[in-house]
Amino acid sequence: MVSRHKHDPVYVISVAAQLADMHPQTLRQYDRMGLVVPARQAGGQRRYSAEDVRRLRRIQSLSRDGVSLEGIRRIVELEEEVQELRDTVSDLVDQIAVMRSHVSFSRTFTAGSSGVTTNIHGLTEPNHQHHDDAARAYREERRRQRFDRDRVEQAVMFALEQSTPRYALNRPRYALPR
């Protein structure tokens, strides 16, 4: 059995008009206006999908409520935009969920010339107490890293000062150190 998608063009104009309880000439008019534009076959015949029929029924409902054709066009356009935005929001929510599931561990984002790294620790739960604890632990770890970096820099500077040659090549050999 072949499964069909709601956007697959399957109905000829007479069947679509019957399903939407409209006259075929009305469907042609809506096509010219751009309200419902069906797919075309190679010979130019209109083929309506299940989604086109649903949209025709929506247009008919709005028309019966007294909305003008221009108003219907705008309403249908806005409803499509709202649906696209909902789909986008749904996709973004899914992406956020995936990203959150991947940041349940520490990640290194930068490494400085001194070898000191910047780590971001992801949260495993959206719990606020856990978030506060994690933030506190993160700040403490950063403080320790700064303290360690300062001590390493001091040790390196001390080692460099101690390892400078007492006599450089461009000074007299018997120059006394200052």
Side-chain angles (χ1 to χ4, degrees):
M1 180 175 174
V2 177
S3 65
R4 298 210 182 265
H5 190 268
K6 67 180 182 177
H7 295 287
D8 289 344
V10 291
Y11 306 114
V12 294
I13 191 167
S14 60
V15 174
Q18 228 176 8
L19 291 172
D21 195 26
M22 295 179 170
H23 193 278
Q25 192 60 37
T26 306
L27 273 64
R28 289 184 188 94
Q29 180 184 3
Y30 289 168
D31 184 11
R32 283 190 296 273
M33 293 177 65
L35 283 172
V36 178
V37 180
R40 302 276 179 158
Q41 274 190 322
Q45 293 180 324
R46 293 174 176 91
R47 293 288 181 191
Y48 290 84
S49 68
E51 184 62 22
D52 292 334
V53 172
R54 185 206 59 77
R55 192 170 178 183
L56 287 167
R57 288 182 182 148
R58 176 71 176 132
I59 290 170
Q60 184 181 42
S61 171
L62 289 169
S63 180
R64 286 183 180 157
D65 290 342
V67 180
S68 69
L69 285 178
E70 183 57 30
I72 290 172
R73 186 190 63 73
R74 185 69 180 137
I75 288 170
V76 169
E77 187 179 280
L78 289 171
E79 286 175 343
E80 285 179 356
E81 186 177 341
V82 166
Q83 187 57 47
E84 287 175 16
L85 291 171
R86 284 184 177 149
D87 292 344
T88 300
V89 167
S90 177
D91 291 344
L92 292 172
V93 166
D94 292 343
Q95 288 177 15
I96 288 170
V98 168
M99 290 172 66
R100 282 188 177 156
S101 71
H102 284 65
V103 294
S104 60
F105 52 88
S106 177
R107 292 184 146 190
T108 301
F109 283 95
T110 60
S113 59
S114 64
V116 176
T117 60
T118 302
N119 294 320
I120 302 297
H121 304 280
L123 302 177
T124 55
E125 302 172 359
N127 183 342
H128 290 296
Q129 179 62 35
H130 179 72
H131 174 69
D132 293 342
D133 292 344
R136 194 174 300 112
Y138 173 72
R139 285 192 302 272
E140 178 61 25
E141 178 63 25
R142 293 291 293 160
R143 188 193 64 73
R144 260 191 245 114
Q145 286 177 353
R146 278 193 302 274
F147 176 75
D148 291 345
R149 184 180 58 224
D150 292 344
R151 294 204 46 193
V152 167
E153 287 176 3
Q154 288 171 0
V156 167
M157 292 305 292
F158 178 76
L160 287 173
E161 289 171 3
Q162 296 303 314
S163 66
T164 54
R166 298 217 188 267
Y167 303 103
L169 294 176
N170 59 353
R171 284 198 248 164
R173 185 170 182 181
Y174 298 107
L176 297 173
R178 294 183 200 188

